[in-house]
Structure formats: structure tokens, C-alpha cells
Amino acid sequence: MPDSWPTAPAHFLTGTEPGAEGILALVDRAIELKAAPLSVRPLEGASIALIFEKPSTRTRVSFEVAVTELGGHAVVLRGDEMQLSRGESPRDTGLVLSRHVEAIAIRTHSDEVVSAIASASSVPVINMLTDGHHPCQALGDLVTLKETFGHLDGLKLAFVGDGNNVARSLALVAGLVGVQVTVASPSGYQLEPLPGLVITDDPAEAAMGADAIYADAWVSMGDEATAAQRLSALAPYCLDDALLDLGAPGAVALHCLPAHPGQEITPEVLYGSRQRIWDQAENRRHAQKALLEAIVRAV
Ligand code: CP
Ligand code: NVA
């Protein structure tokens, strides 16, 4: 576990817990593990609970395969099959799961639920996406940026669209290691002020000179009731070739996926030569292996 990690057990809830040095170490370790995916088995004999209260493709598969490649066993739990769905408290869920598994990873709506499980848990808790944060995505994205540009400090990242969980985690986690993050969103969809973050309503201003331009869905999981207003307000924030042309020479397009081609990103960018989006999807696994290796106690 990195010395800079302040909490014990070493939870990963906003992604800032490891500190800048810890995050940089995880990124470098992920790149090593990508080159040698079956080189270590630190989770031999360990079981890891993966709780999903929202849908998932990448996070589910990348975590489950990560645990397998590290020699452990993933216990995949759907929220609607757990007693959580019948009113058992997050606290009691954390107390019980801690008696069986070496880490608990959860995707759910409320950050408070994740915090309550973490407070009760004697094993590390990992946030696999909440309404507020998506730290594992940000960690994987730093791996993609580092392998694309060879460094992180001083890179310019523009996020265009809804000021959502993915935008917030990029601002917090990438911002901590020296990436200059600008988020362009319309009024009503902007992030709160965060250290080092530049907020604008002008996508062209954000994209100008950026090394990477990032898009995410305009209707996140849980936002379906306001879909029509969102699609209308966010229509000027599409990541297309013209926006990418405003970036620095060699600028790349990023997207956490799932994508909605024709809405937040054009098919030309999504499947074009300037994207690193499919590498991003793969790098989730390598980043999460580095994270699990660092925070799960040997059994
Ligand atoms: N990017 C991401 O978290 O994808 P899933 O929702 O498919 O897990
Ligand atoms: N902002 C999106 C990310 C999906 C990976 C959501 O929360 O639905």
C-alpha cells in the first residue's frame, strides 16, 4: 500500500485517498501489469465482493477478470438479490461482508451508502461508480493518458458535456497529479468549483490547445426523467472532428463509454484514428489490478 494512503483499511471512494504519489504509483504499476498481465497472483485465496445496484458492462467485466488474473475469486452480487434491497442497512452489509471477503467494491446511486459501508467495513471498499464519483474510470484514464503522452504533469484535459460523476472524478483525480482539467457545460449542468478546475460554458474555449477532449453520456444512469431537457441543453457540446481540431497537435478523443453516437460524440470521432477510447475501456482492467494489488491485504 502506498505510504501516502491515509486511511486504514485503504478505501478508494473519491479516488484521492492514495494522494498524488500513490496515484502516480498505481498508474505506473498498471502499465507494468498491462505488459505482463499474468505475472503476479497477490489475491490467491482472496474473495472480492462486487456489488452492482446499477447496470454495468466494462466495470463488471474488468473487475471480475482483474480478480481472476490476480488469482482471487470475485463474488458478483446484484443489489436486487441482496437484503440491501429489502432494507438491510449499508452498515450491517459492510459488517457482514467484511467477515467473508478481502475487499468490497460497489456501484450504487448514493455516495452516502458507499461511505456507510466503508465506515463499518474492516476491509477496503472501492467505489465502482456513484451518482457523484467514478474514481476507477479516472484512474484508468490516467493510464491511457500516460501511455499516449508519456507523462501526466501539465497535460490539458477538456471535458465537454454534463458536469457529472465522470467529470468530477477527472477533476479530482487527474487534477491531483498535475493534469489541467477544464469542464465545459451549460448553465444548470456545471460542476461545483473544485481545486485547480476551470469551468466554462464554451466547449471551444475548453478544447482550445487541449491534449485530450473527453465526452460522456448526456443522460447518466438515474437521470432518465430529465432526458429531454438534457438532450436539448447539451446539444452544442458534441465531441466532433471540428472540436477535436481545436486541440493541441496530436490531441486525442476520450469517452468512458457507453457512447451514444450522434449525441455526445460523432461516429467519426468514436471510431476514428484520433480516439483512444477502446484503449480506455481495456485500461480499466489494468488500473483496477494495480489498485487491488495495492490495497487488498495478503491472505
Ligand atoms: N465506463 C463504465 O463504467 O462502463 P460500464 O457502465 O459499462 O461499467
Ligand atoms: N456518467 C455515466 C457514466 C457511465 C459509465 C453514468 O453515471 O451513467
Side-chain angles (χ1 to χ4, degrees):
M1 184 189 314
D3 291 340
S4 51
W5 216 304
T7 56
H11 301 310
F12 193 73
L13 307 185
T14 66
T16 58
E17 292 86 353
E21 276 181 34
I23 292 167
L24 292 171
L26 291 173
V27 170
D28 288 343
R29 182 60 179 148
I31 291 171
E32 283 177 9
L33 288 169
K34 184 171 182 175
L38 302 178
S39 55
V40 291
R41 292 176 68 82
L43 298 190
E44 195 81 57
S47 294
I48 311 296
L50 307 178
I51 302 171
F52 289 94
E53 296 201 295
K54 288 179 173 179
S56 172
T57 297
R58 278 144 292 275
T59 306
R60 155 106 199 236
V61 173
S62 61
F63 259 105
E64 190 165 349
V65 176
V67 171
T68 299
E69 288 187 352
L70 293 175
H73 171 67
V75 182
V76 180
L77 297 157
R78 282 176 39 147
D80 63 0
E81 295 173 347
M82 297 178 70
Q83 297 288 10
L84 260 177
S85 68
R86 297 182 57 249
E88 186 170 26
S89 68
R91 178 182 182 176
D92 291 2
T93 303
L95 288 170
V96 170
L97 290 180
S98 294
R99 300 293 182 107
H100 293 291
V101 301
E102 278 65 43
I104 302 165
I106 180 164
R107 166 171 288 199
T108 188
H109 294 273
S110 150
D111 285 279
E112 286 68 38
V113 166
V114 181
S115 296
I117 291 176
S119 296
S121 173
S122 59
V123 299
V125 173
I126 297 171
N127 180 345
M128 295 195 294
L129 183 146
T130 53
D131 292 348
H133 297 271
H134 198 0
C136 294
Q137 182 69 52
L139 186 64
D141 296 340
L142 288 177
V143 173
T144 305
L145 289 170
K146 178 88 187 263
E147 69 181 4
T148 300
F149 296 105
H151 69 101
L152 293 171
D153 193 35
L155 285 181
K156 292 183 177 171
L157 173 69
F159 181 100
V160 291
D162 183 24
N164 62 13
N165 45 6
V166 171
R168 182 175 293 103
S169 287
L170 288 168
L172 289 171
V173 180
L176 198 57
V177 297
V179 177
Q180 296 171 32
V181 181
T182 300
V183 175
S185 317
S187 173
Y189 297 91
Q190 294 190 338
L191 275 183
E192 70 280 11
L194 293 167
L197 172 66
V198 175
I199 297 172
T200 174
D201 61 4
D202 182 355
E205 180 189 325
M208 199 77 69
D211 299 292
I213 306 177
Y214 200 120
D216 183 18
W218 291 340
V219 183
S220 285
M221 293 179 277
D223 290 336
E224 291 78 7
T226 55
Q229 299 97 293
R230 290 174 164 276
L231 297 188
S232 163
L234 288 154
Y237 293 78
C238 176
L239 175 46
D240 58 15
D241 276 308
L243 197 67
L244 204 43
D245 286 344
L246 298 177
V252 298
L254 300 177
H255 193 307
C256 58
L257 301 175
H260 308 80
Q263 291 185 15
E264 77 277 0
I265 191 166
T266 60
E268 290 75 18
V269 173
L270 179 62
Y271 305 108
S273 60
R274 294 193 283 177
Q275 56 74 29
R276 293 291 179 279
I277 293 167
W278 311 101
D279 289 339
Q280 269 183 280
E282 174 183 340
N283 287 337
R284 293 289 306 279
R285 182 170 89 260
H286 309 302
Q288 289 153 195
K289 285 173 73 176
L291 176 65
L292 289 165
E293 181 189 57
I295 70 174
V296 177
R297 283 192 300 261
V299 287

